[in-house]
Amino acid sequence: MTDERDPRVEPEAPATEPAEAGSVDGAEAAEVTEPAESPDSAEAAGADLQGKIDELTGDLQRLQAEYLNYKRRVDRDRELVAENATYKVLSPIVEVLDTIDRAREHGELEDGLKAVAEQLERIVTGLGLTKFGEPGEQFDPTVHEALSHLGSDPEVKETTVKVIAKAGYRIGDRVVRAAQVLVVDPE
């Protein structure tokens, strides 16, 4: 039997892909030509990685915000504790300062007492205690305690402090003791 083939008909292609030139085995050619990952799976892995990065970045930002809030809260609480301690210590000293003021009203202080009074006043001023309440101020019920009304005065347009019975003291904006005053009303 002779093998007669029609020269116009091309031979059938083998079932497997032909090996590349220089390759001995078709299996080696398949390994070389197939990429390790398809482009779609590389993009998916990149998207998963970016999602994880975004999630961790968000976690880090939340933790940083929580830490900053915690730090601000601790600083604010520390200041409040210091202010409350100063308030508690200086509150009873206000009565000593009143006694010194009454002693000054009766005459000049002697050398020893004068030095102690001035030193005490410097110390409490350094700690933030300030004295307030002057005749002629507009009456403010948040910082003044009206002990009595002295009638009316044609020279004032609003209720005004006429006499200071005891000076008021404050630390910053916090009133330690309201000024005890006698007031006059406008006509």
Side-chain angles (χ1 to χ4, degrees), residues 61-77:
Q61 289 172 341
R62 277 188 294 282
L63 286 172
Q64 285 176 328
E66 286 176 13
Y67 174 74
L68 287 174
N69 289 337
Y70 167 76
K71 188 174 183 216
R72 286 184 192 127
R73 190 172 49 250
V74 166
D75 290 343
R76 184 188 67 232
D77 290 349

Side-chain angles (χ1 to χ4, degrees), residues 2-63:
T2 61
D3 187 21
E4 291 182 24
R5 291 188 186 167
D6 187 4
R8 294 177 293 181
V9 178
E10 295 183 349
E12 291 182 13
T16 61
E17 293 183 25
E20 288 187 19
S23 161
V24 177
D25 187 14
E28 284 181 29
E31 289 178 18
V32 173
T33 58
E34 276 188 36
E37 293 183 28
S38 71
D40 291 339
S41 65
E43 288 176 15
D48 288 344
L49 186 58
Q50 186 61 43
K52 187 68 172 172
I53 289 171
D54 292 344
E55 179 184 339
L56 291 174
T57 301
D59 290 346
L60 178 61
Q61 289 172 341
R62 277 188 294 282
L63 286 172

Side-chain angles (χ1 to χ4, degrees), residues 83-147:
E83 184 180 306
N84 285 339
T86 303
Y87 177 85
K88 190 168 187 153
V89 167
L90 293 180
S91 291
I93 293 176
V94 166
E95 296 301 321
V96 176
L97 295 172
D98 286 339
T99 303
I100 291 170
D101 286 343
R102 282 193 295 275
R104 282 192 177 124
E105 288 173 5
H106 291 287
E108 192 64 33
L109 299 178
E110 299 291 320
D111 292 334
L113 182 57
K114 181 178 181 180
V116 170
E118 288 173 354
Q119 183 180 15
L120 178 63
E121 289 168 343
R122 275 193 313 273
I123 290 171
V124 298
T125 300
L127 292 173
L129 186 70
T130 56
K131 187 177 186 178
F132 68 90
E134 295 291 325
E137 290 179 347
Q138 178 183 344
F139 176 74
D140 180 358
T142 62
V143 294
H144 297 114
E145 179 183 346
L147 300 177

Side-chain angles (χ1 to χ4, degrees), residues 133-139 156 158-164 182 184:
E134 295 291 325
E137 290 179 347
Q138 178 183 344
F139 176 74
V156 298
E158 299 176 274
T159 303
T160 305
V161 174
K162 187 72 171 179
V163 178
I164 302 293
L182 306 173
V184 291

